[in-house]
């Protein structure tokens, strides 16, 4: 009876209220950023843009019954920097933008997402790329470097894993984010699965199914840890820097650090990776064989 009552409350009471709040938040975001985008470039426009983004993102988080605990706020990402965080869910963006504004980086989409993107970029210098441009690493790097060179622009928000991971681990960080230069502001995000599972398994659920699951959970509870800024050390390459940042995030968030590429969950394993593991296994077998021979 308790379980049935819980289902009735979540689907018949909470869900309609949350859908209404989400609609209000997204509508205000599109209308507000479109209006602010008509203003000439000035400090007033920037303040209004930040106000619209913060207000609308907070409304959307309320639509998820989000309860967020922010730690070490003195280390919040600053303008002209790069915010790097582990990635569990698309709502990671909402979780972070509830406490501060960021410049988003991503691919241009169509449909409702495209409308939101076009409205947002009018009020704030987000960095959107066409599908063909995303494959040009030099172009992407150039535009990101131009953005962080301007210390008046909002910090860039990047999830270097490139895919959602299941809230227990941190997987390989792509090195591209760490080749740009500038100051890296690491952020660790950890969800409490007791009240609702925020992980998006994109190979199992489409976006609509995922949002339905999230909006019919009791709440989204998470902790966000801001960490001291990090810069690339002398003699350190981009891969080593990425691994150092990843280790710091994993330790702070209580997550398992793994060396694997998270994108492998939906892609075929490269033959070179297979060959490398086969060589390691053969060395182990040969070594054990030699040891056994000596014992005989």
């Amino acid at each position: 009876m308790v379980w049935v009552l819980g289902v009735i409350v979540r689907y018949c009471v909470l869900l309609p209220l949350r859908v209404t709040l989400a609609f209000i938040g997204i509508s205000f975001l599109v209308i507000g950023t479109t209006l602010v985008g008509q203003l000439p470039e000035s400090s007033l426009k920037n303040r209004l843009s930040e106000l619209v983004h913060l207000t609308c993102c907070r409304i959307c988080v309320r639509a998820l019954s989000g309860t967020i605990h922010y730690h070490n706020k003195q280390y919040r990402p600053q303008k002209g920097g790069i915010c790097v965080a582990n990635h569990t869910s698309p709502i990671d963006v909402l979780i972070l933008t509830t406490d501060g504004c960021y410049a988003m980086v991503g691919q241009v989409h169509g449909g409702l997402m495209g409308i939101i993107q076009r409205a947002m970029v009018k009020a704030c210098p987000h960095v959107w790329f066409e599908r063909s441009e995303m494959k040009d690493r030099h172009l992407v790097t150039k535009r990101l470097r131009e953005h962080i060179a301007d210390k008046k622009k909002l910090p860039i928000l990047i999830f270097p894993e490139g895919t959602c991971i299941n809230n227990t681990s941190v997987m390989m960080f792509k090195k591209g984010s760490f080749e740009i230069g500038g100051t890296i502001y690491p952020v660790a995000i950890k969800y409490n699965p007791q009240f609702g599972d925020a992980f998006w398994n994109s190979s199992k659920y489409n976006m609509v199914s995922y949002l339905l699951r999230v909006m019919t959970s009791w709440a989204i509870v998470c902790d966000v840890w801001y960490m001291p800024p990090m810069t690339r050390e002398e003699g350190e390459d981009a891969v080593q820097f990425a691994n150092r940042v990843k280790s710091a995030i994993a330790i702070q968030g209580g997550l398992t650090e793994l060396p694997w590429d998270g994108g492998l969950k939906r892609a075929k394993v490269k033959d070179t990776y297979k060959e490398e593991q086969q060589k390691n296994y053969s060395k182990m077998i040969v070594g054990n064989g030699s040891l056994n021979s000596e014992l005989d």
Side-chain angles (χ1 to χ4, degrees):
M1 289 298 295
V2 173
W3 182 84
V4 171
L5 180 61
V7 171
I8 293 173
V9 171
R10 288 187 291 119
Y11 281 85
C12 299
V13 179
L14 294 180
L15 180 59
L17 291 175
R18 289 171 174 174
V19 171
T20 302
L21 273 178
F23 177 78
I24 293 172
I26 294 173
S27 299
F28 281 6
L29 178 64
V30 173
I31 296 171
T33 51
T34 300
L35 293 176
V36 172
Q38 306 306 313
L39 299 175
E41 292 296 330
S42 63
S43 58
L44 174 62
K45 178 181 179 179
N46 293 335
R47 287 197 298 270
L48 289 175
S49 174
E50 292 182 13
L51 177 62
V52 169
H53 279 84
L54 283 173
T55 302
C56 295
C57 288
R58 286 170 180 172
I59 292 174
C60 290
V61 168
R62 297 296 180 272
L64 303 174
S65 297
T67 302
I68 312 166
H69 305 284
Y70 297 98
H71 307 273
N72 308 324
K73 287 192 174 185
Q74 69 272 22
Y75 297 130
R76 277 189 294 193
Q78 302 298 312
K79 292 183 177 180
I82 302 173
C83 176
V84 168
N86 58 301
H87 198 22
T88 303
S89 159
I91 64 175
D92 292 341
V93 176
L94 290 177
I95 297 299
L96 293 177
T97 51
T98 298
D99 193 49
C101 291
Y102 298 87
M104 309 297 172
V105 178
Q107 182 180 307
V108 174
H109 293 275
L112 176 61
M113 183 60 70
I115 295 173
I116 296 173
Q117 286 181 318
R118 289 191 293 272
M120 290 173 62
V121 80
K122 291 177 182 177
C124 180
H126 299 287
V127 186
W128 305 131
F129 295 96
E130 298 290 344
R131 181 182 294 272
S132 58
E133 294 176 330
M134 290 296 290
K135 298 179 181 179
D136 189 341
R137 287 186 58 195
H138 296 291
L139 176 62
V140 173
T141 302
K142 178 183 176 183
R143 288 189 57 186
L144 294 180
R145 280 177 176 163
E146 290 174 351
H147 183 99
I148 65 172
D150 188 346
K151 300 306 179 183
K152 295 181 180 179
K153 290 185 176 180
L154 295 174
I156 295 174
L157 176 59
I158 297 178
F159 300 102
E161 288 168 301
T163 187
C164 296
I165 309 301
N166 66 357
N167 195 40
T168 63
S169 311
V170 180
M171 292 195 174
M172 185 181 76
F173 279 10
K174 305 292 192 301
K175 66 177 183 178
S177 308
F178 302 88
E179 293 176 327
I180 302 170
T183 304
I184 298 292
Y185 293 88
V187 176
I189 305 173
K190 176 71 173 180
Y191 292 90
N192 186 340
Q194 182 177 355
F195 302 96
D197 185 9
F199 169 54
W200 181 34
N201 186 348
S202 55
S203 60
K204 186 176 180 181
Y205 301 102
N206 59 33
M207 181 58 76
V208 175
S209 300
Y210 169 74
L211 290 176
L212 179 63
R213 288 179 63 245
V214 172
M215 286 192 167
T216 53
S217 62
W218 285 111
I220 296 297
V221 180
C222 76
D223 287 275
V224 175
W225 289 273
Y226 298 112
M227 301 167 62
M230 302 174 70
T231 54
R232 192 164 161 180
E233 297 178 351
E234 185 177 353
E236 187 177 44
D237 61 27
V239 174
Q240 292 170 331
F241 186 27
N243 289 334
R244 183 160 61 91
V245 174
K246 183 184 73 168
S247 297
I249 290 176
I251 293 171
Q252 180 64 80
L255 302 165
T256 303
E257 182 183 357
L258 298 174
W260 311 321
D261 184 353
L264 291 176
K265 67 182 182 181
R266 64 170 66 90
K268 184 179 179 181
V269 180
K270 294 181 180 179
D271 292 335
T272 54
Y273 291 167
K274 292 182 180 179
E275 291 173 2
E276 183 179 352
Q277 294 302 318
Q278 289 169 349
K279 289 179 181 178
N280 292 336
Y281 184 67
S282 65
K283 290 178 182 178
M284 182 176 66
I285 295 298
V286 171
N288 289 338
S290 301
L291 181 60
N292 291 333
S293 297
E294 292 177 2
L295 290 175
D296 292 339

